[in-house]
């Protein structure tokens, strides 16, 4: 699974992207976020307020209940505002 990080999520983690292989019990975005939070202090900081992070799976916006699978591209980013 390829995981991409943007804006302040990227700054806190210190990476723009990483390839991960989460355990089988990680079945959705929320589970992936919890699992990622345990990878480093930077990950923990980024995912401390999960409600402040938006997600896309395979370039489609989705919620925390969206399933994730091996081979997916998952992107995390702060809420976006337009003008």
């Amino acid at each position: 699974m390829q995981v991409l990080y943007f804006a302040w999520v990227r700054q806190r983690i210190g990476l723009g992207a990483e390839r991960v292989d989460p355990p089988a019990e990680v079945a959705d975005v929320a589970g992936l976020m919890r699992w990622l939070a345990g990878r480093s202090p930077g990950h923990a900081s980024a995912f401390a307020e999960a409600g402040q992070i938006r997600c896309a799976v395979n370039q489609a916006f989705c919620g925390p209940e969206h399933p994730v699978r091996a081979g997916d591209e998952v992107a995390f980013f702060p809420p976006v505002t337009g003008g």
Side-chain angles (χ1 to χ4, degrees), residues 22-75:
E25 61 266 15
V26 173
D28 59 19
V29 169
L32 179 61
M33 291 171 77
R34 285 190 300 273
W35 181 77
L36 288 168
R39 290 179 58 84
S40 76
H43 286 82
S45 173
F47 291 108
E49 294 186 44
Q52 297 298 315
I53 298 178
R54 300 298 176 256
C55 181
V57 175
N58 299 321
Q59 300 182 7
F61 290 108
C62 63
E65 71 289 342
H66 192 280
V68 293
R69 295 183 263 300
D72 282 346
E73 176 190 83
V74 183

Side-chain angles (χ1 to χ4, degrees), residues 7-20:
W8 59 258
V9 180
R10 178 183 187 154
Q11 291 174 337
R12 290 182 187 178
I13 292 171
L15 297 171
E18 63 182 325
R19 187 162 295 282
V20 298

